[in-house]
Each structure stands twice: as C-alpha cells, then as structure tokens.
Amino acid sequence: MFKLNLKIAWRNLWKNKVYAAINIGGLALGLTAFVLMLLYINYEKSYDSWSPELKNVYQIREKHDFFTPDNKEHWQEISNSRIAGIIKESVPQFTAVTKIDQEWGNGFSVKIDHADPVMVKGIKDADSAFFNVFPYQFIQGTAANALKEPNTVVIKQSLANKLYGTDHVLGKEFKLVRWRDDTGNSLKITGVIADVNTPESIQFNAVSHTGDQDHDPDQIGSSHYTQIYAKSEGDIDTLSANKSLQKVYVDFKKKSFAAEKLNFKDVYKDGKSPGLKAISLKDVHPNPPFSLNWLDKLKPVIGISIFLLVVSIINFINLATAQSVQRAKEVGVKKVLGAYKKQLILQFLIESTLQSISALFLSVILIEILLPAFNHQFNITLSFWHNEYLFSIVLQLIAVFIVVTLLAGCYPAWILSNYNPVSVLKGNYGNSLKGITLRNVLVIFQFIISVTFIIAIGVMHLQTKYISGKDLGFDRDKLINLRTGYDQNFADKIRRIPGVQYVSTTTQVMGNAFNNKSKIIYKGREVNLNGVTVTMDALQTLGVKLVSGRLFAKEYVQDTINSVVLNEAAAGLLGKNMVGQTYGKVDYQGKTITFQVVGVIKNYHNEGFDKAVLPTVYKVSHLGGTSNTNNLLVRFDTKNYKGVINKIEGEWKKLYPDFPFQYQSMDDAFSEILEENKRFMNMVVLFSVVSVSLSLLGLFALSTFVAKRRTKEIAVRKVLGASNFQIVNLLNKSFLILVVTANLISWPIAYILVKKWLEGFAYRIDLPLYPFLLSSIISIVIAVLTVSIQARKTAIAEPVAALKYE
Amino acid sequence: MIQLTNIEKYYANKGVKNYVLRLVTTTINQGEFVSIMGPSGAGKSTLLNIIGMLEEPTYGTYHFMGEDVTSLSERKRIELYRNHIGFVFQAYHLIDEMTVYENIEAPLLYKKVGSAERASRIADLLDRFNIVAKKDLFPNQLSGGQQQLVGIARALAAQPSIILADEPTGNLQSAQAEEIMSLFKKLNEEEGITIIQVTHSEKNAQYGNRILHIADGVVKEDVAVLS
C-alpha cells in the first residue's frame, strides 16, 4: 500500500506540476529565510566554544565609568591592570591570570627582514601567562615556554602561512612597528598555534609578549586598562568566587584611595559602587558591556522570518486544500473499498512529507546559493556543510521539518479524509466556501506586509538617491587622506611633487571626524560650538565654499593666532553678518582671549547623513593643532593622480621604511559612510522579495481555491450567456477588494514606519507620495495578473464538465 | 442475506418531513439478482446506499447476514466492505492516478492479501475480462465500457458475496451495456454472487431474477422475472 500511495502521490504531483512547484517553492522560500536565521543563531551561539576546556576560563569585569559613551558606570571588559596581580595573590579559585592589552589603531606594521612592511591586524600584546589561561593547540613550540621571555610572539597558523608561506617559522624574527615613527620591537616567533573553528570574542592573529604588560604603572594615581582573563582548575562555585573578587576589589580600592588621599565614600556616591566579577567565557559574547546583545538585536529579524515561515505554511495548507477537491473521488472510492480513515490521513501526510522534503532540499540549495551574499551582508562567515555544528544543525533542521510537515499536512489530510463517500461519489463535493473568511484575512494580512515593504523600498531608494547625490559642501574628487599625523618635513617634501596642489591637516574630515567641544562667549551669551583645528590651507584643500569674508591665508599674520572661520550653522547660531565680529573664549588659565571671525563657509559633511553638521568654528595651528588625529589631506590638481601617489609613497618609504604607506580616497570614505544604509536597504529588499513572493503565492492559492469552489456557479453563468471576460472580471473583483483593503491598511502603517526611518536622517527628502501610489498600483496589477491566470482557466473550461453530475 | 424491516428515510425541513423511503420491508436472499426500478427521485439510489451502508436509515432495522447493521461502527462497516460488499458505480469511479492493475489491486491491499495471491487474483480477473493488454493504462485512456469492466473487476477482486451496482450501464452505449449485463448474469449464475442493481432500463432488469418497483419511496411491486 505504501508503495502504491507513494506512486499516487508522485503521479498527482506530476499532474499538477505548477501547483506542486508553487507549493514546494513557497515552502522552500519560507524555510530558507528561517534556516538562514537558524544558521546565524547557531553562529552566534558557537562563540568561544572551540575547546571544552574553555568552560574554566573567565573574563574579569570591573564596574567603572572610564571610556564609557554615557559617562555612567558599566561592567566593562577592560579593567585596571593591577587587578590581575591581586587576583593571582588573593583569589585561590583562579590558578592562572593573564592580561591582554587593548588593540588600538588600524593594525600594526610587521617588517620581516628587508621586505616591505605589511599591516597586520589583531596582534595582541599580553603577559607571559596567556597560554596558561587559553588552551590553544600548539603546532610549533609549547604552551609552557612560548611567551616566557619578553619580545616573543606566538602566531596563528593562518598568519604564519600568510607572512611566510609556511608554518615552520619557529625562531624567526620580525619587527613590530606600532606607529609611523615607532622604533619598534624585534619579536621572536616562539610558537605557532592552530586556528580555531568557531568565532572568538578575543579576535587575534598573534599574541606578542613585548614585556609592556608585565608591570603596572609606577604611580598609584595612573592606571593602565587591559582585558583580564582567569582560569580555574575544574568547576568552581562562581558565586563564592565573585564574592572573593568583590572583597579583594573593595580592599584594593580602599588602599589606593588612601594612597591618593581620596575618600571612598566621596567616590562611590550617587548610585556608584565598586564592583568586580568573573563571567564565564561563553557569557562574554552574549553580554556586551554597552550595546544590545545579538539576540535582542536580532529579535525583529527572528520575528519576521518566523512570520514568513508561518505564512508559507499557511499558503501550503491553502493550496493543498484547494487542490484536495481533485482527490475527493479517490477518497470516496477508497472508503468504500475498505480504507480506514487513519490510513487515508497517513497517505495524505506522506504526500505532504514528500512535498516538504522537496522544499527542504530546494531550500538547502537556495541556502548554498545565498550564503555568500548573506555572509557578505552581515560580515560573518556562516557555512552549512562545513559547519562545525553540522550535526546539531541537521537535528534542528529535522525538527523544523517535522513541525512544518505536521503543520502543513495535518489540516489538508484531515479535510480530505473527512469527505463523505456518498456525496463525493454522487459528484457534489467541495462546493462550500467554508473557511473563506479566514483565508481572506490571511491574504489581506500578507498583502499588508508586502505593500508596506514595497513602499519602504521606494522611499528608501529615493532617500538613498538623495544622499548619494547630495552636495557634501566640499569637493571629494582628487582628494586623499593619508591617515597619518602631520609632519612638516614630510608635508614639505610631498608639496614639491608636481600634481600635488595642497597638503594639510584637520581634526575633522569625512572618515575620521573628531568632535571637540568649544565654549565661547559672544555678546555676553555662552554658546557651545564644535572646535576644529586646521592648517592654513586645509579649507582650500577640502574645497569648501566660501559664503562671506575670506579663508585663512599666509599673508595674514594674525591667522595663526586669533582669526577664526565659522560654518553657516555656527554663524546662524550667533547672528547675521558675522564677518569682522569678535567673540571671547576663556582659556585653561582663566584668561579670556578674543577671536575675530574672518569668514563664513558653507556647511560641509564629515559624518553620516543621520547627523546634522555641527555648528563649527575653525582655527589655525601651523602644526595641525593640539589634537593630532591622524589626517593628512592631499589634494591633486590632476585627474590622473595614481602616479603622484606612487611618488608620495616613495617619499614615505624614505622617511618611514618600517611602516606601510596607507591612504583612503575621499570617494571611498564617502562610500563607507553610505555602506551601513546600503546594508539595511539590502536586507529590506531581501525580506520584501520573500514577502511579496509569498503573498502572491497566497493569493494564487486563494484564487485557485475560490475558482474551484465556484466552478459550478461559473458554468451556470456561462450557460446563461456570460463571456469569458465577464467571468474573469467577476473573479477578479472579489480579490481586488482584498488587495485594496490591504493597501488602505498598509498606507498608514508604512507612513509611520517610513517617517520614523527618515527621521533618523538629519538630511532627508520630504515624504513623497508616489512610492505609496506606485506600490498600490504594483500590488493591484500583480494581483489581477495572478488571479486572472486562475480565473481564465476556469472561465474557458467547458461548462458541461462542471454540470455533468447534476 | 439482507433483511430490511420498515426502513424509512426522510429529511426534516422546517418541520416538514420529506420522505425518500417509506416503510420498506423486504428480504433478499443469497444468490438473488435483484433490480430496483422506478422513476427519478423514487428513492432507488437511497435504498441501494442504505443496503450498502453508505447511508443510515432514519427509522427501521437492517440485518446483513443475520447481523443488525442499522448503525454500525466505522471499523465494523469497513470490515464488511473489505470482505463482503463490492460497489459498481454509474460513473465508474476508478482512481485516476492509478493504472488498471493498481485499481484492481487496491481492495486487495486493504484486505491485506499477500502479494503472490494478489498477483494471481488480478491476473485471473484481467484474463477473465480480456483486459490484460490494458493493465498499465490509466482510466482516462480507456473507453467507458472498458472502464466499467475494470470497475467490476475491482469490485470482484475482494471476492465479495454481494455486488451493489448503481446504474452500472447508465453511461454506456447499448452494446457495451449488454456486455456488462451478461457479465452480471454470468457472475450471478455461475458463482452465486448476490447482485443488487439500480436501473432505469426494463431490458437490463430482465437479466436479473427479481424486480423491485419503487415509486415515491414505497415498494409498489415485487415481481420475479421468468426466464
């Protein structure tokens, strides 16, 4: 029987190829979105799980308010380096403690012998205990001896291969240069460790032991903040360990306050309190100190993908029940031949299993195709077949599959097996429109979501077009940023290269903006402005537009002392005709210095379009100002500046042979700013494609269902003289009402959502009407097309066939 | 074999009872070939459905092979279908997705007949009805008469003691109809299978040995056919 049923199932699928394809395709789509999300969750959950020994590794978190975005206390990943020593001495639960320095800058320069230096990211400086805490597997060298001596480094196999082309690198040395004119450390490679196969919360390519982390700052008043990790021998009671940590921390704080002549109570007031705790390594990734954790961030996406899966299941059910009419006779006959209802239910469940298996396969294929794009989108490396947790993922897939199959198969199976043989065999079945309201509501619901998505895409597209075409207020063509400090000697040298028009620095440029608050007093009123320090020709370099007055120039001696330029935002804040006006500023000694405004420039953008251009005052310092923020701008006067850059690189190599030459064009900086927005938009596009396809499937299912149910009515109408066109219209009308209703509901929803999104931009378009109109037209047109396919089929059918049994 | 006592069937509509069958009492013995005749709407099919346990009477008792089957559990009824009753329909009602062979095989599968036995029985039936060459075709590739032959072969596969046929030749041309009726007669005479058919045609009724005339739900006449 089973074999025969399988055969029947196959023949039925084949006979109804289009439906089967739609049904399976829809389910596969929903499954794909869901499984991608499942993979993502698995990825996030796999953080720091590369070794079972990691369960004994803890991160130490100190509660403090340094380096916080809101100046409030947080449990932070970086702690006072002295704590490591204290834990080693006084908390016996932890047998090994290591300090890891924070990484700073854009990677370090690695120079091997006389080769060109290369930038390497993820070189962490630690003390000698790093491998006592982390159980990395050594391919070369040993965990016990690797970092014993200062000026040693252990590198990952992948980095060894990248740098040397082999992992037999034990004993080799390279020079680590951390900034342009750092003298550098020569490090000896004392170990090579295997790369791990799960993501890590401490990402690194190499661990160096320069010796810097071996001692704490001498003065009690100054502190060094590092990450601290500790390891226990076997399971420990975290609660009691944390109690000991808290106790030694308070003791340490009291002692150091006494040395600094501070009062414990004075420091810890207003709700502040000292705190030190250890959290298990597996809890590090799910609990970032400042931002939302990944699960909270992902919640809306999880919600949407579950919803899409449910929608695809509902569509599956709809189509299956609509199709079930065809199978009614089979059910009736089988019943009089002596089939139990149970057997029939089983048969139809097997059939839907067959379909969902195909859907599953299809979705696995889709996932394989989509994963590279998905990885690129979210900047992660997910894989399906090569997943470390393939087994558990497959188990989850099977679970999803069973749930989906049962959900999708049970109802149609139940409906089918309930057919009454007498009425079925008499030929009158499936004429009831029972359950049509629910189906209508579901279709409306699906269309609301689709239309909202389409509107969102339309508005996002317009806004994206607006910002990418927006005048930035400066000329980003032929302009590069060397991302290094200003050095007069170097600047002079490259100024002499033909093709170079300006060389200058500023603390604020697109891609690297440093905002520095500056309080001024103008006509007795205190105004907060953003202070930017520039070199004499920085504004010319940027190509900003002058509104009134003049830019800084060498001819004016006072320009290096007390001349300022305002942007329009600042000028607007202060008053009209600002050129020539003066204002006062109190310096750190309490004296008031007077500044004179010599020019007003148009606002120019330094950051994303979500932020308004700050009211800014520009001051000259011939050295690039008090804050050197690693910008060295070079403007060219020729389009073909590639060769000029090579010449600059030549000068750079002469001066800084140990640090690679890096630059970013302003065009790239601008694209980077647009990147995040683009990603978000891509995600919306992805979801809307899935959602629109699903709602079309839903509509198709419903129109099939209704057309089937109304076959007799249509036949009678035809006999009475209705034309095919009239009949297609008749069917279309009932669906148009649904789609129009969905449109009416989705307009206000889309309006609210899109408006909220637009409000995130300081520079935005006025909410346009035509994405709304367009999405309505699109949804109506595709709905009519979808329904017409089905309606036409019914309309051109011979009425006799439908009326035969009556 | 079949004993109907005071069978009534009516549909209540707004307090008014619409009778389909009124006080039908009759006995049909093993080996009889009974034709139920009457004008449209007389209740012929309803009577056949009640005999076939597809419908339940509103009133009255029904004994099938000495057992009261007036209201039977689904399980018991299905057992009867599997072992004792074969249906033949006017519209054949073959399963479209199954080949001729598979259609005939289906009741045997439900009856859990072993595969060797199944194969031999089907081969026998195909042979008897001269449809061996058609065994791998699907119903829509056959003529009406051929389809009905398959329908009868399917009904016979489970070796029932009774065949219930609702206008078995209603959709057929007269030559084919004659063929089917002779087949029924032969089955009845040679194998002793009880046959009850509903028919409009006096000619078809003559193949049997008893006619029940029904009008307005009442058995008007119960006559034997003289051969």
Side-chain angles (χ1 to χ4, degrees):
Chain A
M1 197 76 237
F2 179 76
K3 220 174 91 191
L4 186 62
N5 279 342
L6 265 184
K7 253 196 248 171
I8 297 183
W10 170 246
R11 284 172 194 159
N12 253 309
L13 284 184
W14 190 245
K15 200 165 92 185
N16 302 308
K17 283 184 279 288
V18 179
Y19 291 107
I22 288 176
N23 230 349
I24 291 169
L27 199 57
L29 221 51
L31 266 176
T32 304
F34 190 78
V35 172
L36 278 177
M37 187 202 69
L38 211 60
L39 283 179
Y40 189 82
I41 290 179
N42 273 295
Y43 172 83
E44 291 284 356
K45 283 208 152 168
S46 70
Y47 257 83
D48 300 317
S49 60
W50 44 271
S51 165
E53 287 171 52
L54 288 171
K55 74 173 178 10
N56 293 332
V57 176
Y58 296 83
Q59 186 187 55
I60 305 298
R61 285 196 179 181
E62 183 187 0
K63 191 157 85 176
H64 61 80
D65 58 5
F66 301 114
F67 317 108
T68 54
D70 51 3
N71 283 326
K72 287 192 183 120
E73 283 190 331
H74 291 270
W75 285 103
Q76 293 207 49
E77 292 185 291
I78 47 168
S79 313
N80 190 322
S81 61
R82 290 190 180 90
I83 290 167
I86 297 166
I87 295 174
K88 230 179 291 178
E89 275 169 25
S90 341
V91 187
Q93 283 98 324
F94 298 115
T95 50
V97 183
T98 185
K99 291 181 277 185
I100 308 165
D101 199 16
Q102 283 172 273
E103 214 184 337
W104 38 273
N106 194 26
F108 296 149
S109 164
V110 168
K111 191 173 163 71
I112 301 166
D113 300 332
H114 294 292
D116 280 345
V118 284
M119 289 301 280
V120 175
K121 282 186 187 174
I123 299 182
K124 300 252 183 192
D125 195 36
D127 59 13
S128 57
F130 185 86
F131 292 105
N132 299 342
V133 174
F134 292 100
Y136 284 94
Q137 192 206 333
F138 273 75
I139 295 171
Q140 311 252 305
T142 60
N145 295 325
L147 294 180
K148 223 172 189 176
E149 303 298 320
N151 289 325
T152 51
V153 65
V154 171
I155 67 179
K156 277 193 179 163
Q157 194 179 16
S158 55
L159 181 66
N161 284 328
K162 205 151 77 195
L163 289 179
Y164 295 96
T166 165
D167 55 11
H168 294 279
V169 292
L170 213 58
K172 293 201 162 134
E173 291 197 10
F174 64 74
K175 195 168 165 192
L176 183 72
V177 182
R178 280 170 286 187
W179 60 89
R180 190 178 60 184
D181 35 19
D182 179 20
T183 47
N185 293 53
S186 193
L187 299 177
K188 186 175 168 195
I189 299 173
T190 49
V192 177
I193 51 171
D195 289 85
V196 295
N197 44 23
T198 68
E200 300 168 280
S201 48
I202 326 164
Q203 281 185 333
F204 68 94
N205 286 314
V207 180
S208 65
H209 174 214
T210 56
D212 291 355
Q213 310 307 321
D214 290 349
H215 35 77
D216 302 317
D218 297 332
Q219 282 175 306
I220 189 75
S222 58
S223 318
H224 176 51
Y225 279 84
T226 63
Q227 294 194 320
I228 301 175
Y229 290 86
K231 186 188 165 194
S232 66
E233 240 16 272
D235 291 339
I236 55 162
D237 177 8
T238 333
L239 220 63
S240 82
N242 277 337
K243 242 178 228 157
S244 331
L245 282 174
Q246 180 72 13
K247 191 178 160 295
V248 298
Y249 182 66
V250 171
D251 287 348
F252 156 71
K253 277 303 209 191
K254 281 185 173 153
K255 225 184 320 174
S256 61
F257 285 155
E260 284 182 81
K261 300 190 173 61
L262 286 168
N263 190 328
F264 187 83
K265 286 216 173 77
D266 282 349
V267 177
Y268 292 116
K269 57 181 182 189
D270 303 333
K272 286 187 182 177
S273 61
L276 189 72
K277 66 175 179 183
I279 63 167
S280 162
L281 190 63
K282 73 171 177 352
D283 293 330
V284 169
H285 181 66
N287 298 294
F290 307 122
S291 54
L292 282 176
N293 73 37
W294 61 269
L295 192 62
D296 288 326
K297 277 188 205 157
L298 206 62
K299 264 180 189 156
V301 181
I302 294 177
I304 293 179
S305 46
I306 289 176
F307 174 80
L308 289 179
L309 183 63
V310 169
V311 162
S312 61
I313 291 173
I314 290 169
N315 284 342
F316 186 94
I317 293 172
N318 264 350
L319 261 179
T321 39
Q323 284 298 99
S324 72
V325 175
Q326 289 193 356
R327 312 290 299 278
K329 192 174 84 181
E330 182 186 330
V331 172
V333 171
K334 280 190 169 170
K335 277 192 169 178
V336 298
L337 289 182
Y340 290 128
K341 196 167 154 185
K342 207 173 62 192
Q343 291 175 305
L344 291 171
I345 291 186
L346 195 67
Q347 178 195 344
F348 291 115
L349 266 181
I350 287 169
E351 258 176 57
S352 27
T353 309
L354 213 63
Q355 296 192 39
S356 41
I357 283 181
S358 322
L360 192 69
F361 272 114
L362 194 61
S363 99
V364 167
I365 293 170
L366 272 176
I367 288 164
E368 279 295 299
I369 295 170
L370 284 178
L371 260 186
F374 189 81
N375 282 340
H376 179 72
Q377 187 71 28
F378 293 98
N379 215 358
I380 49 173
T381 44
L382 297 187
S383 67
F384 189 72
W385 296 116
H386 308 294
N387 201 301
E388 179 66 10
Y389 294 94
L390 183 62
F391 181 68
S392 109
I393 287 175
V394 166
L395 278 186
Q396 292 169 36
L397 267 185
I398 291 173
V400 169
F401 170 75
I402 290 172
V403 170
V404 165
T405 309
L406 286 181
L407 281 178
C410 273
Y411 181 71
W414 183 73
I415 289 277
L416 269 166
S417 62
N418 259 349
Y419 276 123
N420 175 2
V422 180
S423 44
V424 164
L425 297 176
K426 270 185 185 163
N428 47 13
Y429 45 83
N431 286 327
S432 102
L433 285 173
K434 216 170 65 186
I436 196 78
T437 321
L438 182 68
R439 284 160 213 265
N440 284 348
V441 170
L442 283 173
V443 164
I444 292 182
F445 203 51
Q446 291 174 22
F447 262 78
I448 290 173
I449 290 163
S450 298
V451 171
T452 308
F453 267 127
I454 300 176
I455 294 174
I457 292 179
V459 174
M460 288 172 112
H461 174 73
L462 290 177
Q463 168 72 9
T464 308
K465 213 170 91 182
Y466 168 75
I467 53 179
S468 44
K470 188 168 163 32
D471 181 12
L472 294 175
F474 71 94
D475 182 7
R476 64 173 198 268
D477 239 15
K478 298 187 282 186
L479 183 61
I480 63 167
N481 185 353
L482 298 192
R483 300 304 278 275
T484 181
Y486 187 85
D487 176 78
Q488 193 65 46
N489 175 30
F490 179 60
D492 285 344
K493 275 190 174 147
I494 54 181
R495 263 193 201 105
R496 270 178 245 127
I497 298 171
V500 174
Q501 193 180 7
Y502 295 109
V503 180
S504 63
T505 183
T506 164
T507 54
Q508 192 191 53
V509 68
M510 185 165 276
N512 185 17
F514 177 80
N515 293 327
N516 189 16
K517 214 159 70 176
S518 167
K519 195 194 280 173
I520 63 156
I521 300 152
Y522 178 67
K523 292 184 176 168
R525 163 163 85 93
E526 278 192 0
V527 184
N528 274 318
L529 297 177
N530 178 35
V532 170
T533 318
V534 295
T535 46
M536 196 66 93
D537 47 4
L539 294 175
Q540 287 90 333
T541 312
L542 285 167
V544 299
K545 297 184 186 80
L546 192 63
V547 177
S548 56
R550 59 172 179 86
L551 297 179
F552 300 118
K554 275 198 218 57
E555 297 81 53
Y556 303 91
V557 189
Q558 73 274 23
D559 275 5
T560 50
I561 307 163
N562 68 346
S563 294
V564 294
V565 168
L566 300 178
N567 69 1
E568 273 188 312
L573 218 56
L574 297 176
K576 283 186 185 121
N577 300 324
M578 283 308 295
V579 178
Q581 301 282 352
T582 59
Y583 68 79
K585 181 172 165 46
V586 181
D587 75 359
Y588 61 100
Q589 285 169 315
K591 282 193 295 183
T592 302
I593 307 166
T594 306
F595 288 93
Q596 189 183 31
V597 178
V598 296
V600 176
I601 58 168
K602 264 187 122 70
N603 293 340
Y604 71 88
H605 288 273
N606 311 297
E607 295 181 76
F609 294 94
D610 50 338
K611 300 191 184 75
V613 175
L614 296 167
T616 305
V617 51
Y618 300 87
K619 255 176 292 182
V620 166
S621 152
H622 65 289
L623 285 177
T626 47
S627 338
N628 187 337
T629 57
N630 278 345
N631 292 315
L632 185 64
L633 302 179
V634 180
R635 173 166 296 283
F636 305 104
D637 51 14
T638 161
K639 263 264 176 235
N640 301 319
Y641 54 77
K642 201 88 206 130
V644 187
I645 289 180
N646 288 340
K647 280 185 194 147
I648 296 175
E649 188 172 1
E651 292 294 337
W652 171 280
K653 274 189 179 154
K654 276 188 230 156
L655 274 175
Y656 315 112
D658 292 346
F659 207 82
F661 174 75
Q662 293 171 295
Y663 72 92
Q664 181 186 39
S665 77
M666 275 303 120
D667 268 335
D668 292 345
F670 183 51
S671 313
E672 245 172 51
I673 279 184
L674 298 180
E675 187 61 26
E676 196 189 344
N677 179 47
K678 218 167 86 187
R679 275 196 185 167
F680 184 67
M681 182 149 164
N682 283 344
M683 197 156 94
V684 173
V685 169
L686 181 81
F687 272 120
S688 38
V689 166
V690 175
S691 149
V692 170
S693 333
L694 283 180
S695 46
L696 283 184
L697 285 185
L699 189 68
F700 188 78
L702 184 69
S703 60
T704 312
F705 177 79
V706 171
K708 282 262 157 66
R709 297 291 144 118
R710 292 175 73 173
T711 310
K712 200 171 84 184
E713 175 199 336
I714 289 163
V716 172
R717 279 177 193 272
K718 279 190 78 172
V719 172
L720 294 179
S723 72
N724 289 348
F725 182 69
Q726 281 169 320
I727 283 172
V728 171
N729 266 354
L730 175 85
L731 283 170
N732 261 326
K733 228 187 305 178
S734 55
F735 291 107
L736 272 187
I737 293 169
L738 300 184
V739 177
V740 169
T741 312
N743 266 299
L744 288 182
I745 298 172
S746 58
W747 276 34
I749 295 174
Y751 177 80
I752 292 165
L753 290 177
V754 161
K755 195 155 174 268
K756 207 168 162 203
W757 180 75
L758 276 180
E759 271 164 7
F761 288 89
Y763 301 90
R764 55 180 181 251
I765 48 172
D766 297 325
L767 199 57
L769 182 65
Y770 83 82
F772 288 80
L773 292 176
L774 198 69
S775 69
S776 294
I777 293 168
I778 289 176
S779 62
I780 288 171
V781 166
I782 51 182
V784 166
L785 286 178
T786 311
V787 174
S788 296
I789 295 173
Q790 197 51 49
R792 199 182 149 275
K793 224 161 100 188
T794 317
I796 59 172
E798 290 294 327
V800 197
L803 298 174
K804 208 168 167 183
Y805 292 119
E806 292 306 307
Chain B
M1 178 173 208
I2 287 168
Q3 200 170 9
L4 300 169
T5 323
N6 292 333
I7 294 291
E8 303 222 322
K9 178 85 182 175
Y10 58 82
Y11 299 98
N13 192 9
K14 289 173 188 160
V16 182
K17 288 176 181 173
N18 292 313
Y19 277 96
V20 185
L21 291 175
R22 290 206 83 152
L23 295 170
V24 174
T25 303
T26 188
T27 306
I28 294 167
N29 293 317
Q30 179 87 44
E32 279 193 281
F33 185 168
V34 182
S35 303
I36 303 170
M37 293 194 71
S40 283
K44 306 182 297 283
S45 292
T46 308
L47 183 60
L48 194 75
N49 283 344
I50 287 173
I51 293 172
M53 285 165 258
L54 292 170
E55 286 182 61
E56 277 182 25
T58 348
Y59 181 80
T61 49
Y62 172 20
H63 285 85
F64 182 80
M65 297 175 82
E67 195 182 350
D68 185 358
V69 293
T70 318
S71 52
L72 210 58
S73 76
E74 186 183 287
R75 217 180 168 83
K76 272 267 178 66
R77 201 180 65 229
I78 287 172
E79 285 308 320
L80 288 181
Y81 289 162
R82 286 183 180 179
N83 298 313
H84 297 290
I85 305 176
F87 287 92
V88 175
F89 304 96
Q90 175 179 5
Y92 331 125
H93 288 324
L94 300 176
I95 297 175
D96 300 330
E97 286 75 30
M98 293 189 191
T99 62
V100 166
Y101 188 94
E102 288 160 355
N103 263 294
I104 300 173
E105 188 182 24
L108 298 176
L109 290 168
Y110 288 121
K111 212 177 160 178
K112 299 204 168 66
V113 175
S115 70
E117 166 84 9
R118 235 165 37 219
S120 83
R121 274 205 220 174
I122 298 165
D124 180 44
L125 283 166
L126 290 170
D127 193 37
R128 244 164 84 190
F129 291 176
N130 263 330
I131 46 176
V132 177
K134 310 261 192 290
K135 73 178 171 54
D136 290 325
L137 298 182
F138 287 92
N140 58 7
Q141 294 167 304
L142 301 177
S143 75
Q146 285 166 339
Q147 286 192 52
Q148 194 58 295
L149 278 179
V150 177
I152 295 168
R154 183 179 65 183
L156 287 174
Q159 295 174 336
S161 40
I162 183 165
I163 284 185
L164 302 177
D166 193 352
E167 305 227 23
T169 58
N171 286 1
L172 299 178
Q173 290 163 355
S174 55
Q176 292 175 324
E178 272 172 37
E179 193 188 336
I180 298 290
M181 289 323 295
S182 326
L183 180 63
F184 272 176
K185 193 175 166 72
K186 207 168 121 195
L187 286 172
N188 177 252
E189 283 170 359
E190 290 175 11
E191 300 187 22
I193 295 173
T194 315
I195 294 176
I196 304 175
Q197 67 162 344
V198 166
T199 183
H200 270 115
S201 137
E202 192 65 44
K203 196 174 149 204
N204 285 350
Q206 295 303 322
Y207 284 89
N209 43 35
R210 183 178 164 196
I211 299 174
L212 284 177
H213 284 281
I214 296 188
D216 298 330
V218 178
V219 179
K220 296 280 182 194
E221 248 186 309
D222 186 348
V223 295
V225 177
L226 303 169
S227 51

